[in-house]
Amino acid sequence: MTAAYFPRTAMFIFAHPDDIEFGVAGTAAKWAQAGSRVIYVVITDGNVGSHDDGMTAEKLAEIRRAEQTAAGEVAGAECVFLGYHDGFLQPTLELRKDLVRLIRQYKPDAVVCTDPTNFFPTENYINHPDHRAGGTAALDAVFPAAEMDLLYPDLAAEGLRGHKVDYVFITFSDRVNYFVDITDTIDLKIEALRKHVSQLEAWDPADMLREWAAETGKRVGFAYAEGFYRITQKSLDTPAPQPEV
């Protein structure tokens, strides 16, 4: 499916700083340009992803949050950091409730997350366990937890009543049934990923991102695209939101 869709509010739930930029920042930027409110929920601080002498988890967390905030600004997204510890992520009931709180607070029409069943995307790569845990937690929060007032009466008492998400867009998956044309936002995706200096160092990701997006785009006739497995919870494609004047 390739028809354009623009949510009023989209929530991207991912495990680490830079996960969104590697995968789906082109879609985030495209939706933001159309007037969507885009929320990045970054579950961990990526605070063990360094081999630098003298680096600490606390210092790295500050660096990664600053980089992710800058990357979000490029795409037009707001960042929410949950502060879970990198490398230890589990789809716990605590994390599920944290995500339900955010879903009920922001009321996204669309949630974007990773495929929790993707263990071996290629023959030379094992998918990070945090990616899989984050995807499981996101899906479990979307359905049925976010919808059920009686499941979290304390949240309902705060005014955070149940909310049903229209669509879930799953990325880094072997299954793809929906494509987003990011031809106009591929440069923003590259610019956003470049903000993660602590991870990229001197490497320029431009060629790799263009190659990935071109391969995906070939499947549906776009110069550059991002692919998703889209789950429809409410069949209601909405027009592009109108920017405020």
Side-chain angles (χ1 to χ4, degrees):
M1 184 175 184
T2 59
Y5 162 77
F6 300 96
R8 293 180 178 85
T9 301
M11 179 172 287
F12 291 66
I13 302 174
F14 284 73
H16 307 119
D18 79 20
D19 287 349
I20 295 171
E21 283 68 45
F22 270 109
V24 293
T27 296
K30 184 182 183 77
W31 287 351
Q33 286 183 347
S36 302
R37 185 181 187 186
V38 177
I39 312 295
Y40 287 176
V41 177
V42 185
I43 301 174
T44 82
D45 287 325
N47 57 325
V48 302
S50 174
H51 300 286
D52 294 345
D53 291 338
M55 181 61 72
T56 66
E58 293 74 20
K59 181 179 179 181
L60 186 57
E62 293 179 5
I63 293 171
R64 300 299 305 275
R65 286 195 183 201
E67 291 173 345
Q68 181 61 76
T69 299
E73 289 173 353
V74 170
E78 311 164 44
C79 293
V80 176
F81 298 98
L82 293 185
Y84 281 75
H85 195 61
D86 185 15
F88 290 164
L89 193 62
Q90 293 290 317
T92 62
L93 294 177
E94 177 186 9
L95 174 56
R96 186 189 304 181
K97 187 174 182 179
D98 285 343
L99 296 176
V100 167
R101 177 183 290 278
L102 292 173
I103 291 169
R104 292 187 182 186
Q105 176 183 349
Y106 289 101
K107 296 179 172 57
D109 309 289
V111 165
V112 185
C113 66
T114 50
D115 185 345
T117 69
N118 188 2
F119 282 78
F120 314 115
T122 69
E123 63 183 13
N124 58 0
Y125 177 73
I126 299 173
N127 195 16
H128 196 297
D130 286 359
H131 296 165
R132 291 183 268 116
T136 295
L139 292 174
D140 290 349
V142 165
F143 182 83
E147 303 178 15
M148 311 302 292
D149 282 345
L150 296 181
L151 191 58
Y152 298 110
D154 55 329
L155 296 184
E158 295 176 24
L160 299 175
R161 305 296 299 273
H163 172 73
K164 187 175 186 70
V165 174
D166 294 347
Y167 298 104
V168 181
F169 292 79
I170 298 176
T171 186
F172 297 116
S173 178
D174 291 334
R175 293 183 291 180
V176 178
N177 63 3
Y178 190 90
F179 297 84
V180 175
D181 183 355
I182 64 163
T183 305
D184 293 336
T185 56
I186 184 67
D187 289 338
L188 288 175
K189 177 175 183 171
I190 293 167
E191 181 184 351
L193 182 53
R194 284 172 174 160
K195 297 298 182 182
H196 294 279
V197 177
S198 67
Q199 302 304 296
L200 301 181
E201 297 180 342
W203 175 58
D204 188 345
D207 289 345
M208 184 189 73
L209 291 188
R210 290 185 186 279
E211 181 181 350
W212 287 356
E215 281 297 314
T216 302
K218 284 180 182 177
R219 299 173 62 177
V220 284
F222 297 148
Y224 297 107
E226 290 169 352
F228 302 88
Y229 185 71
R230 188 173 89 157
I231 298 172
T232 301
Q233 293 212 116
K234 288 196 297 185
S235 184
L236 181 66
D237 278 5
T238 58
Q242 297 301 309
E244 295 183 3
V245 296

